[in-house]
């Protein structure tokens, strides 16, 4: 089976797919593999000094997976923090939602499918709060649904070897998909520019943004 093919499972809410965007993020963390910057991969941080920001929920499997890169990992769990709040309150809370020390520099951000669930103003506030922690080339990886419907709640993404992601929706219920265009996503993420976009099996789009 090709590496990019969707692996069938009995559970229709579960997809296992290879993410080229995730592969590029992980490649940046492999200092020994990328001793010099390349056209696709900005200069990597020194071993043991990478800082990663997880915007999704904490997952023990992902913490264990990322430990091999000897990095510092911060988990924001922004959906749990902001879901259900009034719009203005959510924007105000988003400005305080990132659990980063003042002097921390982030090398990569995992947004999963949250850009489709959070209001654009909330996403923009998160991006502006993140900006002081970004250098040129800080990467942001995201997934988006391509159909008119998407799961009712954000899916859980579990990293696997080979840049594969086990992506599971917690409920079969659905909601309308905002279907943000790449241009709209860049507007929602001030300071970031789209570097790569890959169409994945299972109705998903793989995005990789880089901070300027």
């Amino acid at each position: 089976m090709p590496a990019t093919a969707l692996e069938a499972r009995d559970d229709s809410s579960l997809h296992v797919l290879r993410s080229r965007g995730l592969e590029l993020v992980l490649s940046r963390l492999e200092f020994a593999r990328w001793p010099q910057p390349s056209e696709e991969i900005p200069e990597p941080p020194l071993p043991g000094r990478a800082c990663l920001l997880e915007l999704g929920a904490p997952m023990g499997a992902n913490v264990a997976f990322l430990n091999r890169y000897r990095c510092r990992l911060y988990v924001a769990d922004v959906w749990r923090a902001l879901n259900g709040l009034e719009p203005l309150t959510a924007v105000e809370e988003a400005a305080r939602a990132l659990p980063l020390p003042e002097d921390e520099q982030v090398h990569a951000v995992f947004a999963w499918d949250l850009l489709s669930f959070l209001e654009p103003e909330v996403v923009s506030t998160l991006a502006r709060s993140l900006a002081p922690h970004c250098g040129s080339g800080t990467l942001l990886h995201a997934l988006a649904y391509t159909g008119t419907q998407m799961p009712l709640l954000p899916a859980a993404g579990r990293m696997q070897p080979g840049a594969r992601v086990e992506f599971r929706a917690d409920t079969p219920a659905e909601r309308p998909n905002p279907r943000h265009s790449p241009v709209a996503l860049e507007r929602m993420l001030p300071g970031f520019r789209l570097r790569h976009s890959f169409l994945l099996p299972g109705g998903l789009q793989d995005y990789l943004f880089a901070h300027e």
Side-chain angles (χ1 to χ4, degrees):
M1 178 181 295
T4 56
L6 185 67
E7 299 178 11
R9 296 292 181 91
D10 292 335
D11 184 352
S12 60
S13 67
L14 173 65
H15 301 302
V16 180
L17 48 90
R18 183 185 176 194
S19 166
R20 176 62 174 152
L22 178 61
E23 182 179 28
L24 290 172
V25 172
L26 298 179
S27 293
R28 188 189 179 196
L29 302 180
E30 295 175 356
F31 180 74
R33 183 179 172 191
W34 297 96
Q36 298 294 329
S38 71
E39 182 178 348
E40 288 191 317
I41 309 298
E43 184 175 359
L46 295 176
R49 296 186 181 180
C51 172
L52 309 179
L53 175 63
E54 165 68 80
L55 294 182
M59 292 190 66
N62 287 346
V63 173
F65 180 86
L66 292 169
N67 274 343
R68 73 190 67 183
Y69 296 99
R70 295 186 293 161
C71 59
R72 298 185 302 281
L73 176 64
Y74 297 90
V75 180
D77 200 359
V78 295
W79 179 252
R80 185 184 298 273
L82 304 176
N83 182 41
L85 298 179
E86 292 294 327
L88 289 179
T89 303
V91 170
E92 292 172 357
E93 290 300 316
R96 300 185 287 269
L98 302 183
L100 296 170
E102 185 176 349
D103 59 348
E104 187 68 273
Q105 180 176 351
V106 174
H107 297 93
V109 181
F110 301 108
W112 302 108
D113 59 354
L114 289 169
L115 303 186
S116 297
F117 289 88
L118 297 170
E119 291 296 323
E121 296 82 1
V122 170
V123 175
S124 295
T125 299
L126 289 170
R128 284 190 288 269
S129 297
L130 181 60
H133 304 281
C134 293
S136 178
T138 293
L139 300 176
L140 187 148
H141 176 243
L143 295 167
Y145 303 94
T146 59
T148 58
Q149 297 289 111
M150 67 180 189
L152 181 64
L153 299 172
R158 185 188 302 267
M159 300 179 193
Q160 295 184 353
R164 279 179 163 79
V165 177
E166 181 183 296
F167 210 55
R168 181 194 296 271
D170 290 336
T171 172
E174 295 183 326
R175 63 191 289 180
N177 180 10
R179 301 179 76 178
H180 300 302
S181 69
V183 172
L185 290 172
E186 283 193 338
R187 289 197 198 102
M188 291 163 57
L189 295 166
F192 285 90
R193 290 293 176 263
L194 182 63
R195 288 282 296 273
H196 298 287
S197 176
F198 307 97
L199 183 61
L200 302 180
L204 287 167
Q205 192 79 25
D206 196 17
Y207 290 113
L208 186 65
F209 297 87
H211 201 269
E212 295 184 322

